[in-house]
Amino acid sequence: MITTNTGKVLALLSLAIGVSLIGVGCSGGGNNSNGPAAKSAGSEPESSGAGAGDLAGDVKIDGSSTVYPVSEAVAEEFRAVQPKVRVTVGFSGTGGGMKKFIAGEVDICDASRAMKEKEATACKEQGIEYIELSVAFDGLAVIVNPENSWCDCLTVGQLKELWRPESGVKQWKDLDPKWPAEDIKLYGPGTDSGTFDYFTEAIVGESKASRADYTASEDDNVLVTGVSEDKNSLGYFGFAYYEENKDKLKLLGVDGGEGCKKPSLETVRNNSYAPLSRPLFIYVRKSALERPEVVAFVKFYLENAAALSKDVGYVPVSDEVQKANMEAFNGATSK
Amino acid sequence: MSSKPDIYTTKRRGRITNMLFTSACFLATMTCIFLLVLLIWNIIIQGKGWLSWEFIERLPSRFPDKAGIKTALWGSIWLISLTAMFSVPLGVGAALYLEEYAPRSRWRKLIQLNIANLAGVPSIVYGILGLGLFVRALQLERSVLSGALTLTLVVLPIIILASQEALRAVPDSIRRSAYALGATRWQTVWYQVLPASLPGIMTGVILSLSRALGEAAPLIAVGAMAYVPFVPERLTDEFTALPIQIFIWTSRPQEDFHHLAAAGILVLLVVLVSMNAIAIFVRHKYGKKIRW
């Protein structure tokens, strides 16, 4: 019995493997012609190559999840102009992106803070030269539950008292005696996020110094849900996420010494919503700018960052910053 | 005489215990089925309006109504095909050696113990190993090849164990008869043992590949990208996969992306169910014909 079936069974096994192979063959087959073409076009010395859609090659981006929506939007729009250039975007965090940038694994690093000295030194050691481009502003929103009727504004001092390590603030009345004797439930981003670094630095005065007894999540969505379901909660995260969930949350003003200011496109851009607004950067490796597809992409990024960052809830940079960006870019590409 | 009532009480007690145990088992089964139905129902409700042919054909997008799952689906197909190509020969080969050739020494026991332990190691650990070994040390970069090799590490112990189990199920009388008829060891293994155990091996292979299909953690560690607007064309291309795409969509703040995630889960389920269907088909079709 067995021997008569041997052929059949073996045929089935080879069929199964064959099917897998066909799967690979199909996905590769249709586009195989692109493979070699992509390589040769990539190495052709062509200047910034605008608009024609004739460029090819890979552009690799990784870094901050705060900058990710901007880079993703730019990458998506860029596809319409240069469909053969393959732009990939990841979000392993500013720190994670920097590590890959220093290792030369990515061409562009998204960053929600300026490069740290340690990272700059590491770049130098690895022989990686780069340009820094400021692409948008991000505001952090301090938010409470919509049913919270007592609190409209907090000073930076109150926020520091609330969020500093070993903070003694347990109830709302600890911040202001007029407020209810209810426990404050705190929500914030996890310790790996750039938003956490930024908030602690701006409010507590020391990066990564925060009380630990709060609900932390890298997923801003968890924070939105948490705050929107608890009357006595308070949390902070990117202004973009507040814009998306306006109806579920109440926005607080922050008093940095010059009166109460709520974050908005205007107050973030003119720096009056201090200290909770910040610039967002992309770092571009200079050696990557020898490839025409990277040049075209970065140029496209700078030209469209204003409109697209507005789309995703950030604040576009001012004309002066834009000018400085173009100068840095032209300086790096003209060599 | 006094032993008679004793037997009756024991019998009655046995009957009650039996009834209790049966209903407990039934309840456990029903709870599982209820949860499963609830989960699937919930996903179907959320995702059904979003599942369409365009959804399968479109590239990723930041607009939920333009977003599709094409690159993730093809990424997963690439990964699974490559993983199958790497893990099946290695896994079946290792199982054959351990069952048919290796001398029953302490050395073999040690290897056996380690394989069993490796099957229980969390997949993220393999992800970190993959990042260090394939991406960094072997310079394969964050490619679909690195991803597939990492998944191979994840499924290899399971494939070895399943194949060993299948080989062990082949009665020794088959081997002995083959030897008695003058067959060599090679002939015995290739023409008798392997075909007889193939249905079992195939089932194990397909089930472990289904597990690989659902893995996100090791791929994220290896560096699957979030936004990949192209289908991999070469082994060195960057990639994304279905579970990763689903994870990314669920962590977006916009509600529409959660519906997209549900639609993505449905696609993943369809792929998984069809793989399992193949496993069942193989077992039925080829399991029945083998009579000893």
Side-chain angles (χ1 to χ4, degrees), chain A residues 2 9 13 27 62 72-73 76-77 79 86-89 100 105-106 221 241 244, chain B residues 59 61-62 74 78 136 142 198 202 226-227 229-230 237-238 252-254 258 289 292:
Chain A
I2 297 164
V9 180
L13 182 65
S27 60
D62 205 337
E72 185 202 25
E76 195 179 335
E77 295 305 318
R79 244 193 84 80
R86 310 188 306 174
V87 184
T88 51
V89 193
K100 288 170 183 163
E105 289 171 16
V106 293
N221 208 31
Y241 288 96
E244 296 281 354
Chain B
L59 297 173
S61 168
R62 66 188 195 282
W74 279 109
W78 265 81
R136 300 259 155 87
R142 304 194 280 173
L198 214 46
M202 284 293 286
Y227 176 77
F230 56 86
D237 276 344
E238 291 176 297
R252 290 226 175 189
Q254 298 94 332
H258 303 172
K289 285 194 183 162
W292 291 304

mmCIF file of all heavy atoms in Angstrom, chain A residues 2 9 13 27 62 72-73 76-77 79 86-89 100 105-106 221 241 244, chain B residues 59 61-62 74 78 136 142 198 202 226-227 229-230 237-238 252-254 258 289 292:
data_model
loop_
_atom_site.group_PDB
_atom_site.id
_atom_site.type_symbol
_atom_site.label_atom_id
_atom_site.label_comp_id
_atom_site.label_asym_id
_atom_site.label_seq_id
_atom_site.Cartn_x
_atom_site.Cartn_y
_atom_site.Cartn_z
ATOM 1 N N ILE A 2 1.879 1.182 0.837
ATOM 2 C CA ILE A 2 2.643 2.416 1.020
ATOM 3 C C ILE A 2 3.398 2.786 -0.237
ATOM 4 O O ILE A 2 3.352 3.919 -0.692
ATOM 5 C CB ILE A 2 3.618 2.274 2.190
ATOM 6 C CG1 ILE A 2 2.796 2.057 3.459
ATOM 7 C CG2 ILE A 2 4.481 3.489 2.326
ATOM 8 C CD1 ILE A 2 3.598 1.531 4.598
ATOM 9 N N VAL A 9 2.305 10.980 -2.688
ATOM 10 C CA VAL A 9 2.577 11.799 -1.514
ATOM 11 C C VAL A 9 3.739 12.730 -1.777
ATOM 12 O O VAL A 9 3.698 13.922 -1.468
ATOM 13 C CB VAL A 9 2.860 10.904 -0.294
ATOM 14 C CG1 VAL A 9 3.129 11.750 0.917
ATOM 15 C CG2 VAL A 9 1.674 9.995 -0.032
ATOM 16 N N LEU A 13 3.970 16.862 -1.789
ATOM 17 C CA LEU A 13 4.940 17.691 -1.071
ATOM 18 C C LEU A 13 5.604 18.667 -2.026
ATOM 19 O O LEU A 13 5.730 19.851 -1.751
ATOM 20 C CB LEU A 13 5.987 16.796 -0.394
ATOM 21 C CG LEU A 13 7.043 17.540 0.428
ATOM 22 C CD1 LEU A 13 6.391 18.232 1.606
ATOM 23 C CD2 LEU A 13 8.127 16.607 0.912
ATOM 24 N N SER A 27 5.159 37.449 -7.524
ATOM 25 C CA SER A 27 5.343 38.804 -7.008
ATOM 26 C C SER A 27 6.626 39.391 -7.581
ATOM 27 O O SER A 27 6.730 40.573 -7.814
ATOM 28 C CB SER A 27 5.386 38.790 -5.498
ATOM 29 O OG SER A 27 6.464 37.982 -5.090
ATOM 30 N N ASP A 62 13.801 56.499 9.156
ATOM 31 C CA ASP A 62 13.325 55.924 10.417
ATOM 32 C C ASP A 62 13.485 56.986 11.493
ATOM 33 O O ASP A 62 14.167 57.990 11.294
ATOM 34 C CB ASP A 62 14.130 54.659 10.774
ATOM 35 C CG ASP A 62 13.311 53.731 11.672
ATOM 36 O OD1 ASP A 62 12.374 54.229 12.334
ATOM 37 O OD2 ASP A 62 13.599 52.534 11.715
ATOM 38 N N GLU A 72 5.493 60.185 6.415
ATOM 39 C CA GLU A 72 4.620 59.265 5.697
ATOM 40 C C GLU A 72 3.817 60.015 4.636
ATOM 41 O O GLU A 72 3.708 59.576 3.491
ATOM 42 C CB GLU A 72 3.666 58.577 6.674
ATOM 43 C CG GLU A 72 2.810 57.514 6.018
ATOM 44 C CD GLU A 72 1.528 57.217 6.794
ATOM 45 O OE1 GLU A 72 1.059 58.111 7.532
ATOM 46 O OE2 GLU A 72 0.998 56.115 6.650
ATOM 47 N N ALA A 73 3.279 61.180 5.019
ATOM 48 C CA ALA A 73 2.497 61.975 4.081
ATOM 49 C C ALA A 73 3.361 62.426 2.900
ATOM 50 O O ALA A 73 2.949 62.332 1.743
ATOM 51 C CB ALA A 73 1.894 63.185 4.798
ATOM 52 N N GLU A 76 4.093 59.496 0.665
ATOM 53 C CA GLU A 76 2.921 59.101 -0.128
ATOM 54 C C GLU A 76 2.708 60.052 -1.301
ATOM 55 O O GLU A 76 2.437 59.615 -2.422
ATOM 56 C CB GLU A 76 1.684 59.060 0.771
ATOM 57 C CG GLU A 76 0.523 58.333 0.129
ATOM 58 C CD GLU A 76 -0.698 58.276 1.042
ATOM 59 O OE1 GLU A 76 -0.552 58.359 2.273
ATOM 60 O OE2 GLU A 76 -1.800 58.157 0.499
ATOM 61 N N GLU A 77 2.849 61.353 -1.041
ATOM 62 C CA GLU A 77 2.675 62.333 -2.124
ATOM 63 C C GLU A 77 3.811 62.234 -3.140
ATOM 64 O O GLU A 77 3.612 62.422 -4.332
ATOM 65 C CB GLU A 77 2.621 63.758 -1.545
ATOM 66 C CG GLU A 77 1.420 64.031 -0.660
ATOM 67 C CD GLU A 77 0.097 63.737 -1.360
ATOM 68 O OE1 GLU A 77 -0.034 64.096 -2.543
ATOM 69 O OE2 GLU A 77 -0.789 63.117 -0.730
ATOM 70 N N ARG A 79 5.307 59.659 -4.124
ATOM 71 C CA ARG A 79 5.041 58.535 -5.031
ATOM 72 C C ARG A 79 4.318 58.963 -6.294
ATOM 73 O O ARG A 79 4.513 58.396 -7.366
ATOM 74 C CB ARG A 79 4.192 57.491 -4.312
ATOM 75 C CG ARG A 79 4.879 56.166 -4.123
ATOM 76 C CD ARG A 79 3.865 55.135 -3.696
ATOM 77 N NE ARG A 79 3.192 54.583 -4.854
ATOM 78 C CZ ARG A 79 3.714 53.634 -5.619
ATOM 79 N NH1 ARG A 79 4.868 53.129 -5.349
ATOM 80 N NH2 ARG A 79 3.041 53.184 -6.664
ATOM 81 N N ARG A 86 11.449 54.225 -4.173
ATOM 82 C CA ARG A 86 10.770 53.489 -3.114
ATOM 83 C C ARG A 86 11.165 54.048 -1.757
ATOM 84 O O ARG A 86 12.272 53.814 -1.278
ATOM 85 C CB ARG A 86 11.108 52.009 -3.220
ATOM 86 C CG ARG A 86 10.896 51.502 -4.669
ATOM 87 C CD ARG A 86 11.020 50.047 -4.777
ATOM 88 N NE ARG A 86 12.282 49.574 -4.231
ATOM 89 C CZ ARG A 86 12.566 48.297 -4.113
ATOM 90 N NH1 ARG A 86 11.700 47.386 -4.478
ATOM 91 N NH2 ARG A 86 13.725 47.929 -3.617
ATOM 92 N N VAL A 87 10.247 54.804 -1.180
ATOM 93 C CA VAL A 87 10.521 55.423 0.105
ATOM 94 C C VAL A 87 9.890 54.582 1.209
ATOM 95 O O VAL A 87 8.702 54.308 1.172
ATOM 96 C CB VAL A 87 9.950 56.846 0.162
ATOM 97 C CG1 VAL A 87 10.343 57.516 1.472
ATOM 98 C CG2 VAL A 87 10.409 57.660 -1.027
ATOM 99 N N THR A 88 10.691 54.157 2.184
ATOM 100 C CA THR A 88 10.129 53.425 3.322
ATOM 101 C C THR A 88 10.298 54.272 4.583
ATOM 102 O O THR A 88 11.302 54.953 4.756
ATOM 103 C CB THR A 88 10.818 52.078 3.547
ATOM 104 O OG1 THR A 88 12.226 52.287 3.589
ATOM 105 C CG2 THR A 88 10.496 51.106 2.451
ATOM 106 N N VAL A 89 9.282 54.238 5.428
ATOM 107 C CA VAL A 89 9.326 55.006 6.673
ATOM 108 C C VAL A 89 9.046 54.082 7.850
ATOM 109 O O VAL A 89 8.109 53.298 7.810
ATOM 110 C CB VAL A 89 8.268 56.134 6.655
ATOM 111 C CG1 VAL A 89 8.539 57.105 7.802
ATOM 112 C CG2 VAL A 89 8.247 56.868 5.333
ATOM 113 N N LYS A 100 20.206 53.885 14.158
ATOM 114 C CA LYS A 100 20.278 53.367 12.796
ATOM 115 C C LYS A 100 20.952 54.371 11.872
ATOM 116 O O LYS A 100 21.662 54.000 10.945
ATOM 117 C CB LYS A 100 18.868 53.041 12.295
ATOM 118 C CG LYS A 100 18.309 51.813 12.972
ATOM 119 C CD LYS A 100 16.851 51.607 12.688
ATOM 120 C CE LYS A 100 16.358 50.399 13.480
ATOM 121 N NZ LYS A 100 14.913 50.345 13.584
ATOM 122 N N GLU A 105 22.356 52.830 8.477
ATOM 123 C CA GLU A 105 21.306 51.951 7.941
ATOM 124 C C GLU A 105 20.169 52.733 7.301
ATOM 125 O O GLU A 105 19.404 52.185 6.520
ATOM 126 C CB GLU A 105 20.753 51.049 9.071
ATOM 127 C CG GLU A 105 21.714 49.978 9.518
ATOM 128 C CD GLU A 105 21.245 49.249 10.773
ATOM 129 O OE1 GLU A 105 20.056 49.354 11.129
ATOM 130 O OE2 GLU A 105 22.078 48.576 11.404
ATOM 131 N N VAL A 106 20.009 53.982 7.678
ATOM 132 C CA VAL A 106 18.956 54.798 7.070
ATOM 133 C C VAL A 106 19.563 56.069 6.495
ATOM 134 O O VAL A 106 20.620 56.521 6.925
ATOM 135 C CB VAL A 106 17.837 55.156 8.074
ATOM 136 C CG1 VAL A 106 17.056 53.916 8.484
ATOM 137 C CG2 VAL A 106 18.393 55.865 9.289
ATOM 138 N N ASN A 221 -3.505 56.553 21.538
ATOM 139 C CA ASN A 221 -4.906 56.184 21.532
ATOM 140 C C ASN A 221 -5.371 55.663 22.893
ATOM 141 O O ASN A 221 -6.477 55.936 23.340
ATOM 142 C CB ASN A 221 -5.078 55.094 20.474
ATOM 143 C CG ASN A 221 -6.458 55.107 19.918
ATOM 144 O OD1 ASN A 221 -7.082 56.161 19.837
ATOM 145 N ND2 ASN A 221 -6.944 53.952 19.564
ATOM 146 N N TYR A 241 -2.806 64.626 18.295
ATOM 147 C CA TYR A 241 -3.778 63.638 18.752
ATOM 148 C C TYR A 241 -4.965 64.304 19.430
ATOM 149 O O TYR A 241 -6.067 63.777 19.423
ATOM 150 C CB TYR A 241 -3.107 62.625 19.683
ATOM 151 C CG TYR A 241 -2.215 61.709 18.905
ATOM 152 C CD1 TYR A 241 -0.866 61.954 18.797
ATOM 153 C CD2 TYR A 241 -2.758 60.634 18.221
ATOM 154 C CE1 TYR A 241 -0.058 61.137 18.040
ATOM 155 C CE2 TYR A 241 -1.959 59.802 17.474
ATOM 156 C CZ TYR A 241 -0.611 60.058 17.385
ATOM 157 O OH TYR A 241 0.194 59.250 16.635
ATOM 158 N N GLU A 244 -7.405 65.265 16.708
ATOM 159 C CA GLU A 244 -8.168 64.131 16.202
ATOM 160 C C GLU A 244 -9.304 63.731 17.138
ATOM 161 O O GLU A 244 -10.234 63.057 16.740
ATOM 162 C CB GLU A 244 -7.255 62.906 16.019
ATOM 163 C CG GLU A 244 -6.161 63.066 14.995
ATOM 164 C CD GLU A 244 -6.699 62.884 13.591
ATOM 165 O OE1 GLU A 244 -7.887 62.529 13.446
ATOM 166 O OE2 GLU A 244 -5.917 63.117 12.655
ATOM 167 N N LEU B 59 -2.215 50.282 -2.188
ATOM 168 C CA LEU B 59 -1.017 50.501 -1.388
ATOM 169 C C LEU B 59 -1.410 51.177 -0.077
ATOM 170 O O LEU B 59 -2.512 51.689 0.044
ATOM 171 C CB LEU B 59 -0.055 51.401 -2.172
ATOM 172 C CG LEU B 59 0.455 50.819 -3.483
ATOM 173 C CD1 LEU B 59 1.256 51.855 -4.234
ATOM 174 C CD2 LEU B 59 1.309 49.594 -3.216
ATOM 175 N N SER B 61 -1.804 53.956 2.810
ATOM 176 C CA SER B 61 -2.038 55.392 2.677
ATOM 177 C C SER B 61 -2.372 55.973 4.033
ATOM 178 O O SER B 61 -2.795 55.271 4.945
ATOM 179 C CB SER B 61 -3.183 55.645 1.702
ATOM 180 O OG SER B 61 -3.593 56.987 1.781
ATOM 181 N N ARG B 62 -2.196 57.274 4.171
ATOM 182 C CA ARG B 62 -2.566 57.907 5.436
ATOM 183 C C ARG B 62 -4.033 58.261 5.451
ATOM 184 O O ARG B 62 -4.559 58.706 6.455
ATOM 185 C CB ARG B 62 -1.719 59.153 5.671
ATOM 186 C CG ARG B 62 -1.946 60.271 4.684
ATOM 187 C CD ARG B 62 -0.904 61.361 4.899
ATOM 188 N NE ARG B 62 -1.241 62.599 4.260
ATOM 189 C CZ ARG B 62 -1.110 62.872 2.982
ATOM 190 N NH1 ARG B 62 -0.681 61.916 2.169
ATOM 191 N NH2 ARG B 62 -1.412 64.045 2.488
ATOM 192 N N TRP B 74 1.469 40.740 0.264
ATOM 193 C CA TRP B 74 2.575 40.157 -0.501
ATOM 194 C C TRP B 74 3.804 39.948 0.368
ATOM 195 O O TRP B 74 4.526 38.963 0.211
ATOM 196 C CB TRP B 74 2.909 41.027 -1.715
ATOM 197 C CG TRP B 74 1.976 40.751 -2.843
ATOM 198 C CD1 TRP B 74 0.989 41.571 -3.306
ATOM 199 C CD2 TRP B 74 1.905 39.557 -3.631
ATOM 200 N NE1 TRP B 74 0.309 40.969 -4.324
ATOM 201 C CE2 TRP B 74 0.854 39.747 -4.550
ATOM 202 C CE3 TRP B 74 2.622 38.361 -3.651
ATOM 203 C CZ2 TRP B 74 0.497 38.767 -5.479
ATOM 204 C CZ3 TRP B 74 2.275 37.383 -4.576
ATOM 205 C CH2 TRP B 74 1.217 37.604 -5.480
ATOM 206 N N TRP B 78 5.645 36.396 0.710
ATOM 207 C CA TRP B 78 7.102 36.237 0.559
ATOM 208 C C TRP B 78 7.700 35.567 1.778
ATOM 209 O O TRP B 78 8.469 34.601 1.680
ATOM 210 C CB TRP B 78 7.766 37.619 0.394
ATOM 211 C CG TRP B 78 7.984 38.026 -1.010
ATOM 212 C CD1 TRP B 78 7.051 38.563 -1.840
ATOM 213 C CD2 TRP B 78 9.202 37.954 -1.756
ATOM 214 N NE1 TRP B 78 7.622 38.827 -3.057
ATOM 215 C CE2 TRP B 78 8.935 38.469 -3.036
ATOM 216 C CE3 TRP B 78 10.503 37.506 -1.450
ATOM 217 C CZ2 TRP B 78 9.910 38.541 -4.025
ATOM 218 C CZ3 TRP B 78 11.466 37.592 -2.441
ATOM 219 C CH2 TRP B 78 11.164 38.097 -3.716
ATOM 220 N N ARG B 136 22.637 42.631 11.506
ATOM 221 C CA ARG B 136 23.890 43.335 11.801
ATOM 222 C C ARG B 136 25.106 42.509 11.402
ATOM 223 O O ARG B 136 25.914 42.928 10.587
ATOM 224 C CB ARG B 136 23.952 43.679 13.291
ATOM 225 C CG ARG B 136 22.808 44.570 13.752
ATOM 226 C CD ARG B 136 23.247 46.030 13.877
ATOM 227 N NE ARG B 136 22.101 46.934 13.733
ATOM 228 C CZ ARG B 136 21.309 47.321 14.739
ATOM 229 N NH1 ARG B 136 21.543 46.905 15.957
ATOM 230 N NH2 ARG B 136 20.300 48.144 14.513
ATOM 231 N N ARG B 142 17.694 45.137 6.736
ATOM 232 C CA ARG B 142 16.325 44.873 7.198
ATOM 233 C C ARG B 142 15.491 44.354 6.042
ATOM 234 O O ARG B 142 14.531 44.967 5.603
ATOM 235 C CB ARG B 142 15.753 46.153 7.766
ATOM 236 C CG ARG B 142 16.675 46.658 8.864
ATOM 237 C CD ARG B 142 16.049 47.699 9.672
ATOM 238 N NE ARG B 142 16.079 48.987 9.034
ATOM 239 C CZ ARG B 142 15.452 50.032 9.537
ATOM 240 N NH1 ARG B 142 14.724 49.909 10.602
ATOM 241 N NH2 ARG B 142 15.539 51.183 8.930
ATOM 242 N N LEU B 198 4.539 11.211 6.075
ATOM 243 C CA LEU B 198 4.389 12.512 5.401
ATOM 244 C C LEU B 198 3.115 13.281 5.780
ATOM 245 O O LEU B 198 3.197 14.488 6.016
ATOM 246 C CB LEU B 198 4.460 12.314 3.881
ATOM 247 C CG LEU B 198 5.119 13.458 3.128
ATOM 248 C CD1 LEU B 198 6.405 13.890 3.794
ATOM 249 C CD2 LEU B 198 5.364 13.094 1.686
ATOM 250 N N MET B 202 3.450 16.969 7.156
ATOM 251 C CA MET B 202 2.824 18.099 6.451
ATOM 252 C C MET B 202 1.897 18.878 7.373
ATOM 253 O O MET B 202 1.857 20.106 7.333
ATOM 254 C CB MET B 202 2.024 17.591 5.241
ATOM 255 C CG MET B 202 2.878 17.187 4.068
ATOM 256 S SD MET B 202 3.732 18.580 3.312
ATOM 257 C CE MET B 202 2.346 19.362 2.479
ATOM 258 N N ALA B 226 7.191 50.558 8.717
ATOM 259 C CA ALA B 226 5.793 50.934 8.922
ATOM 260 C C ALA B 226 5.130 51.327 7.608
ATOM 261 O O ALA B 226 4.013 50.927 7.313
ATOM 262 C CB ALA B 226 5.710 52.084 9.911
ATOM 263 N N TYR B 227 5.825 52.112 6.802
ATOM 264 C CA TYR B 227 5.253 52.559 5.545
ATOM 265 C C TYR B 227 6.080 51.994 4.403
ATOM 266 O O TYR B 227 7.215 52.413 4.186
ATOM 267 C CB TYR B 227 5.213 54.086 5.469
ATOM 268 C CG TYR B 227 4.716 54.613 4.144
ATOM 269 C CD1 TYR B 227 3.359 54.599 3.843
ATOM 270 C CD2 TYR B 227 5.602 55.108 3.194
ATOM 271 C CE1 TYR B 227 2.901 55.068 2.629
ATOM 272 C CE2 TYR B 227 5.145 55.583 1.966
ATOM 273 C CZ TYR B 227 3.798 55.560 1.695
ATOM 274 O OH TYR B 227 3.340 56.021 0.482
ATOM 275 N N PRO B 229 5.550 51.282 0.447
ATOM 276 C CA PRO B 229 4.599 51.393 -0.648
ATOM 277 C C PRO B 229 4.945 50.500 -1.842
ATOM 278 O O PRO B 229 4.603 50.828 -2.963
ATOM 279 C CB PRO B 229 4.700 52.872 -1.012
ATOM 280 C CG PRO B 229 6.103 53.224 -0.693
ATOM 281 C CD PRO B 229 6.569 52.322 0.407
ATOM 282 N N PHE B 230 5.640 49.395 -1.638
ATOM 283 C CA PHE B 230 5.952 48.525 -2.765
ATOM 284 C C PHE B 230 6.000 47.074 -2.316
ATOM 285 O O PHE B 230 6.241 46.794 -1.148
ATOM 286 C CB PHE B 230 7.294 48.908 -3.409
ATOM 287 C CG PHE B 230 8.433 48.912 -2.442
ATOM 288 C CD1 PHE B 230 9.128 47.749 -2.169
ATOM 289 C CD2 PHE B 230 8.809 50.078 -1.791
ATOM 290 C CE1 PHE B 230 10.174 47.734 -1.274
ATOM 291 C CE2 PHE B 230 9.861 50.070 -0.879
ATOM 292 C CZ PHE B 230 10.539 48.905 -0.625
ATOM 293 N N ASP B 237 15.000 43.360 -0.433
ATOM 294 C CA ASP B 237 14.068 44.476 -0.293
ATOM 295 C C ASP B 237 13.494 44.561 1.108
ATOM 296 O O ASP B 237 13.369 43.560 1.806
ATOM 297 C CB ASP B 237 12.921 44.328 -1.299
ATOM 298 C CG ASP B 237 13.307 44.877 -2.650
ATOM 299 O OD1 ASP B 237 14.296 45.624 -2.715
ATOM 300 O OD2 ASP B 237 12.632 44.557 -3.639
ATOM 301 N N GLU B 238 13.123 45.780 1.463
ATOM 302 C CA GLU B 238 12.441 45.955 2.744
ATOM 303 C C GLU B 238 11.000 45.496 2.611
ATOM 304 O O GLU B 238 10.477 45.337 1.512
ATOM 305 C CB GLU B 238 12.517 47.417 3.156
ATOM 306 C CG GLU B 238 13.930 47.798 3.521
ATOM 307 C CD GLU B 238 14.053 49.260 3.852
ATOM 308 O OE1 GLU B 238 13.807 50.073 2.946
ATOM 309 O OE2 GLU B 238 14.381 49.591 4.993
ATOM 310 N N ARG B 252 -3.404 53.705 15.454
ATOM 311 C CA ARG B 252 -3.673 55.063 14.963
ATOM 312 C C ARG B 252 -4.857 55.669 15.706
ATOM 313 O O ARG B 252 -5.770 54.948 16.097
ATOM 314 C CB ARG B 252 -3.997 55.001 13.473
ATOM 315 C CG ARG B 252 -2.806 54.645 12.634
ATOM 316 C CD ARG B 252 -2.737 55.570 11.477
ATOM 317 N NE ARG B 252 -1.528 55.340 10.706
ATOM 318 C CZ ARG B 252 -1.142 56.139 9.737
ATOM 319 N NH1 ARG B 252 -1.861 57.185 9.417
ATOM 320 N NH2 ARG B 252 -0.037 55.897 9.078
ATOM 321 N N PRO B 253 -4.861 56.981 15.889
ATOM 322 C CA PRO B 253 -5.975 57.562 16.638
ATOM 323 C C PRO B 253 -7.301 57.574 15.867
ATOM 324 O O PRO B 253 -8.359 57.503 16.481
ATOM 325 C CB PRO B 253 -5.500 58.990 16.930
ATOM 326 C CG PRO B 253 -4.450 59.278 15.935
ATOM 327 C CD PRO B 253 -3.826 57.973 15.581
ATOM 328 N N GLN B 254 -7.247 57.671 14.538
ATOM 329 C CA GLN B 254 -8.494 57.790 13.772
ATOM 330 C C GLN B 254 -9.265 56.473 13.782
ATOM 331 O O GLN B 254 -8.703 55.408 13.539
ATOM 332 C CB GLN B 254 -8.200 58.192 12.312
ATOM 333 C CG GLN B 254 -7.524 59.522 12.160
ATOM 334 C CD GLN B 254 -6.025 59.363 12.081
ATOM 335 O OE1 GLN B 254 -5.452 58.414 12.617
ATOM 336 N NE2 GLN B 254 -5.366 60.284 11.416
ATOM 337 N N HIS B 258 -9.206 51.718 12.647
ATOM 338 C CA HIS B 258 -9.534 50.522 13.420
ATOM 339 C C HIS B 258 -10.403 49.571 12.590
ATOM 340 O O HIS B 258 -10.286 48.357 12.685
ATOM 341 C CB HIS B 258 -10.241 50.902 14.719
ATOM 342 C CG HIS B 258 -9.434 51.839 15.572
ATOM 343 N ND1 HIS B 258 -9.904 52.445 16.688
ATOM 344 C CD2 HIS B 258 -8.148 52.267 15.427
ATOM 345 C CE1 HIS B 258 -8.972 53.206 17.216
ATOM 346 N NE2 HIS B 258 -7.894 53.116 16.456
ATOM 347 N N LYS B 289 -5.220 6.332 3.279
ATOM 348 C CA LYS B 289 -4.780 5.294 2.344
ATOM 349 C C LYS B 289 -3.681 4.412 2.885
ATOM 350 O O LYS B 289 -3.384 3.372 2.339
ATOM 351 C CB LYS B 289 -4.289 5.972 1.048
ATOM 352 C CG LYS B 289 -5.466 6.472 0.235
ATOM 353 C CD LYS B 289 -5.022 6.810 -1.162
ATOM 354 C CE LYS B 289 -6.171 7.386 -1.960
ATOM 355 N NZ LYS B 289 -5.680 8.100 -3.124
ATOM 356 N N TRP B 292 -1.636 -0.377 7.686
ATOM 357 C CA TRP B 292 -0.566 -1.309 8.040
ATOM 358 C C TRP B 292 -1.105 -2.659 8.364
ATOM 359 O O TRP B 292 -2.117 -2.771 9.030
ATOM 360 C CB TRP B 292 0.241 -0.716 9.210
ATOM 361 C CG TRP B 292 1.022 0.471 8.788
ATOM 362 C CD1 TRP B 292 1.923 0.516 7.784
ATOM 363 C CD2 TRP B 292 0.957 1.782 9.331
ATOM 364 N NE1 TRP B 292 2.445 1.754 7.658
ATOM 365 C CE2 TRP B 292 1.874 2.555 8.589
ATOM 366 C CE3 TRP B 292 0.230 2.366 10.358
ATOM 367 C CZ2 TRP B 292 2.073 3.901 8.847
ATOM 368 C CZ3 TRP B 292 0.446 3.687 10.620
ATOM 369 C CH2 TRP B 292 1.357 4.460 9.872
#
